[in-house]
Amino acid sequence: MTSSIEASAYLCGMMEKQVRVRFAPSPTGGLHLGGVRTALYNYLFAKKHGGTFILRIEDTDQGRYVEGAEQYIIDSLEWCGIGPDEGPHKGGSMGPYRQSERKERYLKHAEKLVADGVAYYAFDTTQELEEMREKFKSEQNPSPQYNASIRMEMKNSISLPPEEVEKLIIEGMPYVIRIKVPASTNVTLNDMIRGEVTFNTDQLDDKVLLKADGMPTYHLAVVVDDYEMKISHAFRGEEWLPSAPIHVLLWEYLGWKNDMPKWAHLPLILKPDGKGKLSKRDGDKLGFPVFAMDWKDPKTGETTKGFKKMGFLPEAFINMLALLGWNDGSNEEVADIVQLTERFTIERIHKGGAKFDFEKAKWFNGEWIKRSSDAYLLPLVKTILFEKGIQANDEKTLMLIGLVKERCQLLQDFHAQTSYFFESPKVIDSSSVKPKWDDKKNNFFTAWKKTIADLGEWTTEQIENSFKLDAGKHELKTGELQLPLRIMLVGGKFGPPVFEIAQNIGKEETIKRIEFGIKSINELS
RNA sequence: GGCCCGUUGGUCAAUCGGUUAAGACGCCUCCCUUUCACGGAGGAAUGAGGGGUUCGAUUCCCCUACGGGCUACCA
C-alpha cells in the first residue's frame, strides 16, 4: 500500500508540479457535511500523492464573520482525522492563511488589472445598481447584469472621462474594482470531473473584484491565493461552476495561466427528501445532524447538534462521507482513512448530486462500533455513561462493551444497553409477560429465588443449571421462563444472554429484581 | 427568464457497446437464538421519454421532460 502511494507521489513529482490542495471555508458558522466532504477529498488526494493539504480561511466578508467559527472548523477537521498540513493554526511557508491578513496583496493585483485595462473602477452606489437592475429588468431578463452591454451607461472609469475619474477618486468617492469581461467570447475550462465546460462571456457580468472596503471578493482572492500558495488542484462545490469562467479569465489577465490549478467541481449533497442542497435547517427538521460537531452560535446562543455529539465515530463519519459521491468500484464499503487514501481517484467522483441517507450513516457507525476494539471505545462509552449519571470502572465497562457493542449503532445506545448492569430498571415491561403469566410460573420464580439464595458458586453455568433444575421440578420448560426473567432483570426485551446478566449484577441484586418483577407482574391488571 | 451541470431500484451505487443490469442501506420471508442484536439464506424493487448511430445500446449523439446550481460590493 505504502509503495503504491509513494510511487504515484514520485511520478507526480517527476511529471507535474508538487500536489498542493486547499480547503477554503469561510468562518460563518458550523462546518456542514458538504464542507467536510470537500475537505476530506482534498485530504485524500493530497495524501495519496504525497502532497500538502492546506487550510485557508476565507474571511473577506466582515459582515458575515462569526467569532469562534475558525477554531470550530479546525477542531472539526481534527476530530475527523483530516487535519491540514498548513493553515492559520499551523503556519507554513506560504501564509498568512487568513485572507483578511493578505489584504494588501489583493489591492496590488487589482490595481495592476486596472492598469492593464482588464479591470476598472466603478463608482455606482448600491442604489444606482438597484435602479439599473430595475430599469433593465424584463420578463426575458429578470436579473440584468453589469456587463459590456450596459457598462457605458454606468458610472465607471470606462464610461467617465479620465479627469472625472480622477476627481472622484481624489474626492474620496467610494469605488469598487470590477473585471472587464470581454463581449461574446467563449471561455472553456477543463474540469477533472465534468470534462470541458464552455461559457459565453455574454452571460457573465463584470464581477466586483475589490470591494469598497478594500477587501477582495471571493473571485479575486481565490485566484490570487491559489497562485501564491501554489495550489495544484482546486476542489470546490458545484455551485462554483457558473463563476469559474471569471476565475479562468483572471488567471489569464494576471498572467498566470500556466500555473492555473486543475479544477474539480464536486457534486452537491442533497436533502434526503424533496429537492435542493442539504442545509442546516433540514437536519433540524428531519432529526439528524448536518454539522460535524455541535455548533453554538455566539449571537443567538443556539446550539446545533453535530455528528460527534449524536454518537458518531469519526471513522464512520468520514467513511460514510467519502462514499457519498464517490466509490472505488469495489464492493467494500467499510474502509479506514488509509484505505480510502489508497483507493481515492478523482475520476471516480460522480457527476450527479447524492441525497443524504441518515439510515445508511447509522449503519456505517454500527459497523465501526463493531470493528472497534473495546479499549478504543472505553473512554467514549464512559463519557456517555457519565453524562447519564453512571460512574463505571474501566474493568466492568470494558467487559460490558464487549458484551453489547454489536447491538449499538450510536454511542448513545451503550447507555440503554448497559444501564441495567448498574441500576435496577425503574419500570419493567410487565405487559409482555402478563398474558402468559400464571400460578405455575409465579410459584417457580418464588421458589427459584430461594434456590439461588443458597447457591454456592455464582457462575453463569451454576445459575443456568439451577434454573433448569427448578423448571423441571415445576414441570415448566426453561424457554418459556427466560423471557419473564429477562424482563425482571433488564426491564425489556433486549440485551445479552440472561444468565450472564444475572451473573454480572450479582446474587442479591438478582433476587431483588425477581421480587420486584413478580410483584409488578402480579399487580398488573 | 437566461446560463451551466446532472438523470440506473425508496437511498448510495457497479457497468467504461454484447451481463439473467452487481453490491450495500432500508424493507419483507426464513434459519440461528424461546429476548434484542450479530450472523446466515432468500425475496420484492432500477436504466425518465422520444429519436438517431450500430449487427447490437443503460453505455455514443440529438431533442424533450424532470431535477439541481448560479444569476450580490456572500462565500
Side-chain angles (χ1 to χ4, degrees):
Chain A
M1 149 251 138
T2 332
S3 61
S4 77
I5 289 182
E6 280 171 2
S8 51
Y10 175 73
L11 284 172
C12 249
M14 288 292 288
M15 309 188 302
E16 295 184 42
K17 57 184 172 180
Q18 172 71 12
V19 168
R20 288 178 58 82
V21 295
R22 96 278 127 130
F23 174 52
S26 58
T28 52
L31 223 208
H32 181 274
L33 269 183
V36 179
R37 193 192 57 177
T38 303
L40 175 62
Y41 287 0
N42 269 290
Y43 176 93
L44 294 176
F45 187 76
K47 297 304 157 189
K48 171 149 186 165
H49 297 288
T52 307
F53 174 38
I54 297 145
L55 173 66
R56 184 171 74 214
I57 300 296
E58 310 233 334
D59 57 349
T60 55
D61 187 350
Q62 303 165 325
R64 293 214 307 160
Y65 182 81
V66 175
E67 196 64 43
E70 179 185 313
Q71 189 55 45
Y72 170 92
I73 289 165
I74 293 166
D75 292 344
S76 294
L77 295 181
E78 293 294 341
W79 176 66
C80 291
I82 53 173
D85 303 308
E86 295 176 20
H89 60 310
K90 296 201 81 165
S93 57
M94 297 181 195
Y97 295 92
R98 275 183 210 102
Q99 292 184 329
S100 58
E101 293 169 12
R102 324 180 106 244
K103 200 172 166 182
E104 326 72 49
R105 301 168 189 245
Y106 309 115
L107 174 68
K108 189 182 80 192
H109 289 115
E111 293 287 3
K112 180 173 183 292
L113 290 170
V114 174
D116 291 348
V118 289
Y120 57 91
Y121 300 115
F123 305 93
D124 318 274
T125 63
T126 313
Q127 200 193 343
E128 284 166 336
L129 287 172
E130 270 171 34
E131 281 165 8
M132 177 277 280
R133 290 192 183 109
E134 205 50 49
K135 183 177 161 196
F136 291 95
K137 199 159 115 182
S138 67
E139 196 123 311
Q140 284 72 35
N141 185 10
S143 44
Q145 309 205 289
Y146 197 125
N147 62 16
S149 69
I150 65 148
R151 203 142 61 200
M152 295 311 285
E153 302 185 41
M154 304 301 289
K155 258 166 70 182
N156 55 55
S157 61
I158 296 178
S159 63
L160 267 24
E163 316 84 62
E164 177 73 4
V165 172
E166 208 171 308
K167 193 179 141 230
L168 286 171
I169 290 176
I170 289 166
E171 281 174 356
M173 177 78 173
Y175 65 87
V176 299
I177 292 179
R178 284 179 183 269
I179 180 174
K180 186 180 169 190
V181 176
S184 309
T185 309
N186 279 343
V187 176
T188 297
L189 80 123
N190 206 305
D191 185 89
M192 288 186 284
I193 297 172
R194 284 151 224 284
E196 280 198 353
V197 185
T198 303
F199 300 83
N200 189 284
T201 52
D202 289 337
Q203 247 60 236
L204 271 29
D205 72 352
D206 290 354
K207 289 281 180 213
V208 170
L209 264 21
L210 202 77
K211 302 187 257 190
D213 64 2
M215 279 291 205
T217 57
Y218 173 83
H219 307 294
L220 210 217
V222 72
V223 173
V224 169
D225 289 346
D226 282 353
Y227 171 75
E228 293 188 346
M229 294 180 181
K230 296 194 188 320
I231 300 302
S232 61
H233 302 260
F235 297 78
R236 80 219 307 196
E238 193 188 353
E239 70 267 28
W240 287 111
L241 202 46
S243 55
I246 293 285
H247 310 321
V248 172
L249 244 26
L250 248 19
W251 276 93
E252 214 177 294
Y253 291 166
L254 259 1
W256 304 330
K257 201 165 187 188
N258 294 332
D259 296 310
M260 187 169 74
K262 291 194 169 134
W263 298 103
H265 289 91
L266 271 23
L268 267 16
I269 296 179
L270 278 12
K271 302 173 197 278
D273 70 328
K275 312 114 191 342
K277 57 177 174 177
L278 188 66
S279 73
K280 180 195 138 193
R281 292 180 148 239
D282 300 309
D284 297 343
K285 210 167 57 196
L286 274 23
F288 60 80
V290 168
F291 290 161
M293 303 197 304
D294 277 14
W295 165 251
K296 186 175 179 185
D297 189 311
K299 286 187 197 112
T300 62
E302 205 180 320
T303 299
T304 308
K305 211 170 192 182
F307 277 86
K308 183 182 179 188
K309 197 62 174 288
M310 192 80 174
F312 274 79
L313 256 21
E315 294 85 344
F317 183 52
I318 58 156
N319 191 172
M320 173 275 291
L321 279 181
L323 267 57
L324 205 54
W326 169 84
N327 77 84
D328 68 346
S330 79
N331 283 330
E332 292 163 56
E333 296 192 286
V334 181
D336 64 26
I337 191 83
V338 176
Q339 295 166 315
L340 291 173
T341 302
E342 277 175 55
R343 301 172 192 176
F344 187 75
T345 51
I346 295 174
E347 295 70 42
R348 294 196 65 96
I349 294 176
H350 281 233
K351 293 180 169 79
K355 285 183 186 163
F356 176 67
D357 181 3
F358 191 49
E359 289 306 315
K360 183 105 186 208
K362 281 194 289 192
W363 174 79
F364 270 108
N365 206 49
E367 289 299 307
W368 272 98
I369 287 178
K370 263 182 284 177
R371 284 160 211 241
S372 297
S373 71
D374 300 347
Y376 176 73
L377 260 12
L378 180 64
L380 302 168
V381 173
K382 271 176 78 179
T383 305
I384 298 283
L385 295 179
F386 184 78
E387 283 167 1
K388 296 282 187 177
I390 296 170
Q391 296 225 34
N393 69 40
D394 289 1
E395 201 190 348
K396 183 173 180 180
T397 311
L398 227 31
M399 186 275 298
L400 292 179
I401 290 171
L403 215 49
V404 308
K405 72 177 175 188
E406 70 209 25
R407 286 157 234 265
C408 299
Q409 270 199 325
L410 297 173
L411 255 19
Q412 268 69 15
D413 296 340
F414 277 99
H415 174 250
Q417 291 290 349
T418 62
S419 66
Y420 52 87
F421 283 98
F422 298 98
E423 48 200 25
S424 37
K426 308 264 184 305
V427 284
I428 66 170
D429 181 15
S430 310
S431 57
S432 284
V433 296
K434 186 69 179 180
K436 290 185 178 174
W437 185 253
D438 55 22
D439 286 347
K440 268 175 90 176
K441 286 180 184 167
N442 192 358
N443 293 340
F444 163 80
F445 278 103
T446 313
W448 186 59
K449 84 175 193 213
K450 284 175 191 144
T451 304
I452 56 174
D454 298 327
L455 216 53
E457 263 185 283
W458 190 249
T459 62
T460 309
E461 295 73 29
Q462 286 301 315
I463 300 166
E464 187 165 357
N465 282 340
S466 79
F467 192 79
K468 282 180 180 161
L469 210 62
D470 274 17
K473 286 180 194 163
H474 288 260
E475 297 178 314
L476 285 162
K477 279 184 248 161
T478 51
E480 54 185 332
L481 293 167
Q482 277 191 37
L483 184 65
L485 178 60
R486 170 175 299 280
I487 297 290
M488 292 173 188
L489 301 187
V490 175
K493 287 195 271 190
F494 59 92
V498 246
F499 300 112
E500 288 203 43
I501 298 169
Q503 196 279 325
N504 268 293
I505 62 178
K507 187 193 283 187
E508 273 182 46
E509 181 65 18
T510 301
I511 294 170
K512 205 182 100 193
R513 292 191 193 181
I514 291 172
E515 284 169 349
F516 177 72
I518 294 173
K519 199 168 139 249
S520 300
I521 296 166
N522 284 333
E523 280 172 1
L524 195 71
S525 51

